[in-house]
Amino acid sequence: DGSSSFKQIHHYMNIATFEIKDRQQHFFRVQEVREATTHVKNADSISALPDFREASFPILILRFIQLCCEGHNIEAQNLLREQSHNSGFLISINIISDCINYTIENEKYLSIFNIDRLENALDVLIEVCQGPCVGNQQLLCQSKIPSVCSRIIQRQAFTISGASAATLLKLKYKTVTLLQAMMEGCNDAFFSKSILEDFDFNFAVTFIKEIYEKANNITLNSNTNSEIIPT
């Protein structure tokens, strides 16, 4: 049965999704302990919390999925979504849905401790859509991913403690790239309608306008300064 490997991936991705909240709480406790020890003279005597031991391997699994779809491998992209009996699979396991759930949960508990993992998840979703792969595009459009993308783009750096503006900007860039991948080569109104229902384009337009105006001001100030002749 060719389903065995897919069953394992499905199993570990479910565990990884379930562990996200616990992992976040662990790192917040570690942070609290570290902050507390800065006010204690004998800080070395305070026992540190043990490392969080994951029962899953999300980074390795996501990287494996990404590499499988590298170069717009349409067969792998479709196979990760559904497997047929004709190909030697007794059951069909939707690995793409597992990646979607993992992405949603990471965004739900977004912090400085998992922002890199959310980036990894977005990279995978981009890779499974590009080509394009219509089946995966449709799956993402029908999921909560458009809402996730909308919330990420509306995020401000101060809402993620410890995250720099540059780090958040990188995350937003990947988010926009994912939206592009979801719309790539689409002439069907279904895709745009599905995204429009959950995506706040009014905010996106305002956000883009603000960035353009800031960039314009920086350019104008730069040109003005370059014209100043020192005395």
Side-chain angles (χ1 to χ4, degrees):
D1 177 15
S3 304
S4 59
S5 57
F6 283 84
K7 287 179 182 177
Q8 289 186 4
I9 293 173
H10 172 69
H11 171 70
Y12 283 115
M13 282 303 296
N14 280 344
I15 293 176
T17 301
F18 180 78
E19 286 181 329
I20 290 170
K21 183 180 179 180
D22 291 339
R23 183 175 180 271
Q24 293 295 87
Q25 291 176 341
H26 169 81
F27 281 115
F28 279 124
R29 286 197 298 270
V30 170
Q31 188 177 46
E32 288 174 0
V33 170
R34 287 176 178 171
E35 289 175 355
T37 57
T38 59
H39 306 292
V40 179
K41 292 182 179 179
N42 298 321
D44 294 337
S45 64
I46 298 177
S47 59
L49 287 171
D51 292 336
F52 182 79
R53 294 189 177 183
E54 294 178 296
S56 60
F57 318 95
I59 297 176
L60 292 176
I61 293 174
L62 289 174
R63 184 57 178 158
F64 170 76
I65 294 171
Q66 186 178 359
L67 290 173
C68 285
C69 300
E70 200 77 48
H72 312 320
N73 188 334
I74 190 66
E75 290 184 8
Q77 289 171 324
N78 285 324
L79 186 65
L80 287 165
R81 187 182 67 258
E82 56 184 351
Q83 305 87 48
S84 66
H85 294 288
N86 296 332
S87 302
F89 295 90
L90 296 180
I91 59 173
S92 182
I93 300 173
N94 196 331
I95 302 299
I96 306 301
S97 287
D98 293 334
C99 294
I100 289 173
N101 293 334
Y102 180 78
T103 304
I104 293 170
E105 199 71 5
N106 265 301
E107 188 273 331
K108 181 180 178 180
Y109 295 102
L110 182 59
S111 74
I112 189 62
F113 302 117
N114 74 327
I115 195 167
D116 58 332
R117 296 197 170 199
L118 181 54
E119 287 180 8
N120 292 339
L122 292 174
D123 284 335
V124 170
L125 295 183
I126 291 167
E127 200 64 51
V128 301
C129 282
Q130 286 181 334
C133 178
V134 178
N136 289 343
Q137 287 176 317
Q138 185 172 354
L139 184 62
L140 264 69
C141 286
Q142 291 175 321
S143 72
K144 295 180 181 179
I145 290 298
S147 296
V148 167
C149 291
S150 181
R151 287 195 295 271
I152 292 174
I153 290 176
Q154 293 183 61
R155 280 271 193 173
Q156 299 296 324
F158 67 84
T159 64
I160 308 175
S161 178
S164 66
T167 299
L168 185 58
L169 189 61
K170 182 182 176 184
L171 182 66
K172 291 184 178 185
Y173 172 78
K174 289 180 183 290
T175 302
V176 172
T177 304
L178 174 58
L179 287 169
Q180 290 177 326
M182 289 167 64
M183 293 295 294
E184 181 184 352
C186 291
N187 297 317
D188 192 339
F190 164 80
F191 293 95
S192 55
K193 184 179 179 181
S194 298
I195 292 177
L196 280 169
E197 286 177 353
D198 295 306
F199 190 83
D200 189 347
F201 272 95
N202 289 329
F203 179 87
V205 170
T206 303
F207 176 70
I208 292 170
K209 184 179 178 181
E210 287 178 2
I211 290 179
Y212 175 78
E213 289 175 350
K214 286 179 181 178
N216 229 14
N217 289 335
I218 291 172
T219 303
L220 288 172
N221 291 336
S222 177
N223 291 338
T224 302
N225 292 336
S226 63
E227 292 173 0
I228 297 176
I229 301 174
T231 56

mmCIF file of all heavy atoms in Angstrom, residues 19-34 48-54 109 111 113:
data_model
loop_
_atom_site.group_PDB
_atom_site.id
_atom_site.type_symbol
_atom_site.label_atom_id
_atom_site.label_comp_id
_atom_site.label_asym_id
_atom_site.label_seq_id
_atom_site.Cartn_x
_atom_site.Cartn_y
_atom_site.Cartn_z
ATOM 1 N N GLU A 19 0.785 20.788 18.603
ATOM 2 C CA GLU A 19 1.843 21.227 19.512
ATOM 3 C C GLU A 19 2.102 22.732 19.482
ATOM 4 O O GLU A 19 2.796 23.251 20.368
ATOM 5 C CB GLU A 19 3.157 20.516 19.176
ATOM 6 C CG GLU A 19 3.206 19.063 19.588
ATOM 7 C CD GLU A 19 4.529 18.414 19.247
ATOM 8 O OE1 GLU A 19 5.151 18.815 18.235
ATOM 9 O OE2 GLU A 19 4.943 17.500 19.980
ATOM 10 N N ILE A 20 1.588 23.427 18.482
ATOM 11 C CA ILE A 20 1.906 24.850 18.308
ATOM 12 C C ILE A 20 1.582 25.667 19.551
ATOM 13 O O ILE A 20 2.411 26.448 20.037
ATOM 14 C CB ILE A 20 1.167 25.425 17.081
ATOM 15 C CG1 ILE A 20 1.765 24.845 15.796
ATOM 16 C CG2 ILE A 20 1.256 26.956 17.058
ATOM 17 C CD1 ILE A 20 0.970 25.161 14.546
ATOM 18 N N LYS A 21 0.388 25.482 20.094
ATOM 19 C CA LYS A 21 -0.016 26.243 21.278
ATOM 20 C C LYS A 21 0.870 25.919 22.474
ATOM 21 O O LYS A 21 1.326 26.825 23.190
ATOM 22 C CB LYS A 21 -1.477 25.959 21.610
ATOM 23 C CG LYS A 21 -2.000 26.762 22.792
ATOM 24 C CD LYS A 21 -3.460 26.456 23.079
ATOM 25 C CE LYS A 21 -3.964 27.243 24.277
ATOM 26 N NZ LYS A 21 -5.401 26.934 24.556
ATOM 27 N N ASP A 22 1.129 24.630 22.705
ATOM 28 C CA ASP A 22 1.972 24.217 23.836
ATOM 29 C C ASP A 22 3.388 24.766 23.697
ATOM 30 O O ASP A 22 4.001 25.179 24.695
ATOM 31 C CB ASP A 22 2.019 22.689 23.932
ATOM 32 C CG ASP A 22 0.686 22.092 24.347
ATOM 33 O OD1 ASP A 22 -0.133 22.832 24.934
ATOM 34 O OD2 ASP A 22 0.449 20.908 24.077
ATOM 35 N N ARG A 23 3.901 24.758 22.467
ATOM 36 C CA ARG A 23 5.251 25.267 22.217
ATOM 37 C C ARG A 23 5.316 26.756 22.531
ATOM 38 O O ARG A 23 6.279 27.239 23.139
ATOM 39 C CB ARG A 23 5.646 24.995 20.768
ATOM 40 C CG ARG A 23 7.060 25.422 20.407
ATOM 41 C CD ARG A 23 7.401 24.991 18.983
ATOM 42 N NE ARG A 23 8.737 25.398 18.620
ATOM 43 C CZ ARG A 23 9.035 26.577 18.061
ATOM 44 N NH1 ARG A 23 8.066 27.459 17.815
ATOM 45 N NH2 ARG A 23 10.283 26.878 17.755
ATOM 46 N N GLN A 24 4.273 27.494 22.125
ATOM 47 C CA GLN A 24 4.233 28.923 22.400
ATOM 48 C C GLN A 24 4.220 29.202 23.891
ATOM 49 O O GLN A 24 4.960 30.048 24.396
ATOM 50 C CB GLN A 24 2.976 29.540 21.758
ATOM 51 C CG GLN A 24 2.974 29.520 20.241
ATOM 52 C CD GLN A 24 4.067 30.382 19.670
ATOM 53 O OE1 GLN A 24 5.196 29.929 19.499
ATOM 54 N NE2 GLN A 24 3.769 31.623 19.389
ATOM 55 N N GLN A 25 3.362 28.483 24.610
ATOM 56 C CA GLN A 25 3.260 28.682 26.054
ATOM 57 C C GLN A 25 4.581 28.371 26.743
ATOM 58 O O GLN A 25 4.963 29.058 27.698
ATOM 59 C CB GLN A 25 2.142 27.797 26.610
ATOM 60 C CG GLN A 25 0.752 28.244 26.171
ATOM 61 C CD GLN A 25 -0.341 27.306 26.643
ATOM 62 O OE1 GLN A 25 -0.090 26.153 26.989
ATOM 63 N NE2 GLN A 25 -1.571 27.788 26.647
ATOM 64 N N HIS A 26 5.280 27.344 26.263
ATOM 65 C CA HIS A 26 6.572 26.976 26.838
ATOM 66 C C HIS A 26 7.574 28.124 26.694
ATOM 67 O O HIS A 26 8.233 28.516 27.665
ATOM 68 C CB HIS A 26 7.122 25.732 26.153
ATOM 69 C CG HIS A 26 8.547 25.436 26.493
ATOM 70 N ND1 HIS A 26 8.916 24.793 27.662
ATOM 71 C CD2 HIS A 26 9.710 25.718 25.837
ATOM 72 C CE1 HIS A 26 10.230 24.697 27.707
ATOM 73 N NE2 HIS A 26 10.736 25.243 26.612
ATOM 74 N N PHE A 27 7.676 28.682 25.490
ATOM 75 C CA PHE A 27 8.653 29.741 25.263
ATOM 76 C C PHE A 27 8.298 31.027 26.009
ATOM 77 O O PHE A 27 9.188 31.768 26.422
ATOM 78 C CB PHE A 27 8.806 30.011 23.763
ATOM 79 C CG PHE A 27 9.667 29.003 23.064
ATOM 80 C CD1 PHE A 27 9.133 28.160 22.106
ATOM 81 C CD2 PHE A 27 11.013 28.876 23.371
ATOM 82 C CE1 PHE A 27 9.922 27.217 21.463
ATOM 83 C CE2 PHE A 27 11.813 27.939 22.741
ATOM 84 C CZ PHE A 27 11.272 27.107 21.782
ATOM 85 N N PHE A 28 7.013 31.283 26.186
ATOM 86 C CA PHE A 28 6.616 32.446 26.980
ATOM 87 C C PHE A 28 7.009 32.255 28.442
ATOM 88 O O PHE A 28 7.427 33.206 29.110
ATOM 89 C CB PHE A 28 5.103 32.693 26.858
ATOM 90 C CG PHE A 28 4.709 33.415 25.602
ATOM 91 C CD1 PHE A 28 3.772 32.880 24.728
ATOM 92 C CD2 PHE A 28 5.283 34.644 25.276
ATOM 93 C CE1 PHE A 28 3.413 33.539 23.565
ATOM 94 C CE2 PHE A 28 4.937 35.326 24.115
ATOM 95 C CZ PHE A 28 3.996 34.766 23.254
ATOM 96 N N ARG A 29 6.890 31.026 28.942
ATOM 97 C CA ARG A 29 7.314 30.743 30.317
ATOM 98 C C ARG A 29 8.822 30.902 30.461
ATOM 99 O O ARG A 29 9.312 31.433 31.467
ATOM 100 C CB ARG A 29 6.891 29.320 30.723
ATOM 101 C CG ARG A 29 5.403 29.161 30.988
ATOM 102 C CD ARG A 29 5.108 27.898 31.776
ATOM 103 N NE ARG A 29 5.496 26.702 31.045
ATOM 104 C CZ ARG A 29 4.703 26.043 30.213
ATOM 105 N NH1 ARG A 29 3.461 26.475 30.000
ATOM 106 N NH2 ARG A 29 5.123 24.954 29.593
ATOM 107 N N VAL A 30 9.559 30.427 29.463
ATOM 108 C CA VAL A 30 11.018 30.585 29.469
ATOM 109 C C VAL A 30 11.379 32.069 29.497
ATOM 110 O O VAL A 30 12.271 32.495 30.243
ATOM 111 C CB VAL A 30 11.652 29.909 28.232
ATOM 112 C CG1 VAL A 30 13.124 30.287 28.113
ATOM 113 C CG2 VAL A 30 11.506 28.396 28.315
ATOM 114 N N GLN A 31 10.672 32.860 28.708
ATOM 115 C CA GLN A 31 10.928 34.304 28.654
ATOM 116 C C GLN A 31 10.657 34.957 30.003
ATOM 117 O O GLN A 31 11.413 35.823 30.455
ATOM 118 C CB GLN A 31 10.052 34.941 27.575
ATOM 119 C CG GLN A 31 10.381 36.406 27.298
ATOM 120 C CD GLN A 31 9.541 36.971 26.176
ATOM 121 O OE1 GLN A 31 8.330 36.778 26.140
ATOM 122 N NE2 GLN A 31 10.174 37.666 25.248
ATOM 123 N N GLU A 32 9.572 34.537 30.661
ATOM 124 C CA GLU A 32 9.230 35.076 31.975
ATOM 125 C C GLU A 32 10.311 34.754 33.004
ATOM 126 O O GLU A 32 10.670 35.599 33.829
ATOM 127 C CB GLU A 32 7.884 34.513 32.430
ATOM 128 C CG GLU A 32 6.693 35.078 31.673
ATOM 129 C CD GLU A 32 5.396 34.383 32.044
ATOM 130 O OE1 GLU A 32 5.440 33.464 32.892
ATOM 131 O OE2 GLU A 32 4.341 34.760 31.487
ATOM 132 N N VAL A 33 10.833 33.515 32.950
ATOM 133 C CA VAL A 33 11.891 33.107 33.866
ATOM 134 C C VAL A 33 13.142 33.942 33.640
ATOM 135 O O VAL A 33 13.785 34.412 34.584
ATOM 136 C CB VAL A 33 12.213 31.605 33.712
ATOM 137 C CG1 VAL A 33 13.478 31.231 34.482
ATOM 138 C CG2 VAL A 33 11.048 30.757 34.200
ATOM 139 N N ARG A 34 13.503 34.157 32.376
ATOM 140 C CA ARG A 34 14.698 34.945 32.053
ATOM 141 C C ARG A 34 14.554 36.387 32.523
ATOM 142 O O ARG A 34 15.500 36.996 33.025
ATOM 143 C CB ARG A 34 14.953 34.899 30.548
ATOM 144 C CG ARG A 34 15.487 33.565 30.061
ATOM 145 C CD ARG A 34 15.641 33.544 28.557
ATOM 146 N NE ARG A 34 16.203 32.285 28.101
ATOM 147 C CZ ARG A 34 16.285 31.939 26.808
ATOM 148 N NH1 ARG A 34 15.832 32.748 25.867
ATOM 149 N NH2 ARG A 34 16.811 30.778 26.475
ATOM 150 N N ALA A 48 16.430 26.492 35.247
ATOM 151 C CA ALA A 48 15.857 26.877 33.953
ATOM 152 C C ALA A 48 14.844 25.829 33.507
ATOM 153 O O ALA A 48 14.933 24.663 33.887
ATOM 154 C CB ALA A 48 16.968 26.994 32.911
ATOM 155 N N LEU A 49 13.889 26.290 32.730
ATOM 156 C CA LEU A 49 12.906 25.350 32.203
ATOM 157 C C LEU A 49 13.565 24.453 31.163
ATOM 158 O O LEU A 49 14.449 24.895 30.427
ATOM 159 C CB LEU A 49 11.753 26.119 31.553
ATOM 160 C CG LEU A 49 10.788 26.837 32.501
ATOM 161 C CD1 LEU A 49 9.857 27.727 31.698
ATOM 162 C CD2 LEU A 49 9.981 25.829 33.300
ATOM 163 N N PRO A 50 13.164 23.182 31.088
ATOM 164 C CA PRO A 50 13.751 22.282 30.092
ATOM 165 C C PRO A 50 13.343 22.689 28.684
ATOM 166 O O PRO A 50 12.352 23.397 28.487
ATOM 167 C CB PRO A 50 13.155 20.919 30.473
ATOM 168 C CG PRO A 50 11.865 21.258 31.149
ATOM 169 C CD PRO A 50 12.139 22.531 31.907
ATOM 170 N N ASP A 51 14.115 22.254 27.709
ATOM 171 C CA ASP A 51 13.777 22.530 26.316
ATOM 172 C C ASP A 51 12.456 21.870 25.957
ATOM 173 O O ASP A 51 12.116 20.810 26.484
ATOM 174 C CB ASP A 51 14.879 22.004 25.385
ATOM 175 C CG ASP A 51 16.166 22.795 25.535
ATOM 176 O OD1 ASP A 51 16.087 23.958 25.978
ATOM 177 O OD2 ASP A 51 17.230 22.237 25.225
ATOM 178 N N PHE A 52 11.730 22.518 25.045
ATOM 179 C CA PHE A 52 10.472 21.934 24.586
ATOM 180 C C PHE A 52 10.787 20.836 23.569
ATOM 181 O O PHE A 52 11.411 21.090 22.550
ATOM 182 C CB PHE A 52 9.586 23.001 23.933
ATOM 183 C CG PHE A 52 8.248 22.467 23.493
ATOM 184 C CD1 PHE A 52 7.230 22.284 24.417
ATOM 185 C CD2 PHE A 52 8.023 22.131 22.164
ATOM 186 C CE1 PHE A 52 5.999 21.788 24.014
ATOM 187 C CE2 PHE A 52 6.790 21.630 21.758
ATOM 188 C CZ PHE A 52 5.772 21.466 22.688
ATOM 189 N N ARG A 53 10.369 19.642 23.874
ATOM 190 C CA ARG A 53 10.653 18.504 22.995
ATOM 191 C C ARG A 53 9.442 18.196 22.124
ATOM 192 O O ARG A 53 8.403 17.770 22.623
ATOM 193 C CB ARG A 53 11.045 17.278 23.820
ATOM 194 C CG ARG A 53 12.361 17.459 24.568
ATOM 195 C CD ARG A 53 12.823 16.168 25.197
ATOM 196 N NE ARG A 53 14.117 16.338 25.857
ATOM 197 C CZ ARG A 53 14.788 15.356 26.447
ATOM 198 N NH1 ARG A 53 14.271 14.126 26.461
ATOM 199 N NH2 ARG A 53 15.951 15.587 27.023
ATOM 200 N N GLU A 54 9.612 18.420 20.857
ATOM 201 C CA GLU A 54 8.531 18.162 19.916
ATOM 202 C C GLU A 54 8.450 16.678 19.573
ATOM 203 O O GLU A 54 9.467 16.008 19.447
ATOM 204 C CB GLU A 54 8.735 18.963 18.636
ATOM 205 C CG GLU A 54 8.630 20.466 18.832
ATOM 206 C CD GLU A 54 8.891 21.239 17.562
ATOM 207 O OE1 GLU A 54 10.024 21.157 17.054
ATOM 208 O OE2 GLU A 54 7.980 21.899 17.071
ATOM 209 N N TYR A 109 -1.539 31.725 16.674
ATOM 210 C CA TYR A 109 -0.672 31.933 17.840
ATOM 211 C C TYR A 109 0.629 32.636 17.439
ATOM 212 O O TYR A 109 1.683 32.382 18.023
ATOM 213 C CB TYR A 109 -0.362 30.586 18.510
ATOM 214 C CG TYR A 109 -1.569 29.912 19.093
ATOM 215 C CD1 TYR A 109 -2.182 28.845 18.430
ATOM 216 C CD2 TYR A 109 -2.119 30.347 20.293
ATOM 217 C CE1 TYR A 109 -3.305 28.229 18.966
ATOM 218 C CE2 TYR A 109 -3.241 29.741 20.829
ATOM 219 C CZ TYR A 109 -3.830 28.675 20.157
ATOM 220 O OH TYR A 109 -4.940 28.072 20.692
ATOM 221 N N SER A 111 3.764 34.751 17.097
ATOM 222 C CA SER A 111 4.636 35.490 18.004
ATOM 223 C C SER A 111 6.053 35.431 17.441
ATOM 224 O O SER A 111 6.301 34.803 16.406
ATOM 225 C CB SER A 111 4.609 34.875 19.410
ATOM 226 O OG SER A 111 5.332 33.658 19.434
ATOM 227 N N PHE A 113 8.304 33.723 18.492
ATOM 228 C CA PHE A 113 8.817 32.371 18.639
ATOM 229 C C PHE A 113 8.439 31.438 17.483
ATOM 230 O O PHE A 113 9.027 30.373 17.336
ATOM 231 C CB PHE A 113 8.326 31.752 19.955
ATOM 232 C CG PHE A 113 8.722 32.541 21.161
ATOM 233 C CD1 PHE A 113 7.760 33.117 21.982
ATOM 234 C CD2 PHE A 113 10.059 32.730 21.482
ATOM 235 C CE1 PHE A 113 8.116 33.857 23.098
ATOM 236 C CE2 PHE A 113 10.421 33.470 22.595
ATOM 237 C CZ PHE A 113 9.456 34.033 23.399
#
